[in-house]
Amino acid sequence: MTTLSALQSWVDQVAAQTQPDAIHWCTGSNSEYQQMIDKMLADGTLTTLNPEKYPNCYLHRSDPSDVARVEHLTFVCTSEQDDAGPNNHWMAPAAGHQRIDELFDACMQGRTMYVIPYCMGPIDSPYSRCGVEITDSPYVVVNMKLMTRMGNDALQRIEKDGVFVKGQHSTGDLDPERRLIMHFPDELSIKSIGSGYGGNALLGKKCHALRIASFQARQEGWLAEHMLIAGLESPDGEIHYVACAFPSACGKTNLAMLIPPDSLPGWKVWTVGDDIAWLHLDETGQLRAINPESGYFGVVPGTNELTNKNANDMITHDAIFTNVAVTDDNSPWWEGKQDGAPATDWQGRAFDAANGKAAHPNSRFTVSAKNNAGYSTLADAPEGVPISAIVFGGRRKELAPLVYEAKSWEHGVLIGAGVASETTAANIGEVGVVRRDPMAMKPFCGYNFADYWSHWLSFSERSDKLPKVFHVNWFRQNSSGEFLWPGFGENLRVMQWIIERCEGRVGANETPVGYLPDPADIDTTDLDVSAENLAALTSIDKGQWQEEMRSVGEYLESFGERLPEVLRRQQQSIQAELDS
Ligand code: OXD
Ligand code: MN
């Protein structure tokens, strides 16, 4: 129940269409969370994991066809196709509504409809935006409770603001043929049916905080980005905040929660966010970031004491696991876990290596950010944190050096636009294929990339204090397929160089593609990286880059007339320099 008539009438209208047996307005209380858990334990949606080793942890096994995002079934419905751009699947709004509404008709019969008011960002931040998700899935309710600020406080803010994003979700019958994720940016609304998977069903996350918010952000003069936000504290107590955009499953959570190696004493890393950043210019021209989320929906495989101790610790209690394997003593298990062995695979079958991995490669944990020992005290600050550097990155075996710096904001936008990475199991589709993933937003930008780049470029007209822009690549390999850089905690060494550059305390080598570190300026104390590897990591192969810039140029031109001229000129001048 609400005093906001626009909200009440929308809830009534969705109820009339979907015909639930009951309607539950979520308050966000802990007892409500427990009630939902109990209900799912009773009907088998969840099972309890080992209560001694993993207190209050539960396992959800999804339908085996429903384990990842579905880009091919995700649409942006703008009146003009060009506004959605070649980067999105498009349908006209009326056709989109008609197609999905047929699936929603009477789909909640026999089910309860949950109304979840939520606030993306600190409740009292002017940068936050609210939404309401209607769903028939108690799994969505508990995940939203862990991931967002949801319930009564959010409802109060919505009633005050009068504006909210409408998200209508049903798991439908989980038939992939009857699965669709639709966005109507002009109406600030989302409709999603046929999937219970996080990125398709927790509508606050990718659908609202990225696709709809990126559209809203362009109109309102800010940025909604697929970025982690981390505070890097040096031994003298200075904290620099960085915002880093890497494609899905490329280590954002690991970097956001990094534990410095023993050889870098006194350093600390504070997590503000691990997946999404909303960036605003303040009145002084400083770029500031908030994390719209308040929990993590992270990839489980590979998580352990060495790769991500904070994450490994935070998922030992009060967590929901989706599609992991279990051991004989009913503990969760995944590839990369240091103890135990899988007895049952993610589909609940006796584990047999012939069936593939024990945990699904895109198996996930959901936990509240409060579980993270490194959660920044500023994550709740209404004014957000000041950003010193923007860092793009991708998973590239070849070509991209360990780190390089853009020569200007405009060059930084070109670097972001040219990001490419291997596809991962976070989306249903082929894995390991290199594709362009500008600003790591390929699956998430709610409008034409060409307009999005123009929007990025416009920031330099509004501020002369913009952060420096960098590109990193932790994934370079030699010809035998061995990684050249150890990654994980050691990545702090690269972040140190980035901070030194922001502070103007270290030089760099100028190349046509950007400023690269002198190998001597990367701190390699106690690090087992050969001089030869370090040289390869801090240099460019001219021939490969000529080819890369040509391919970036072709990609940019595929956006036709809307491509900003400034970006075209950036690409052309680098190309010319490489060719000369
Ligand atoms: C995610 C993703 O779940 O990017 O964060 O797919
Ligand atoms: Mn993500």
Side-chain angles (χ1 to χ4, degrees), residues 69 197 199 205-206 226 247-249 252 275 297 364 426 444:
R69 287 183 290 99
Y197 172 75
K205 194 173 178 63
K206 303 302 188 180
H226 192 206
S248 309
K252 283 202 301 300
D275 194 40
F297 179 67
R364 297 278 177 151
F444 308 122

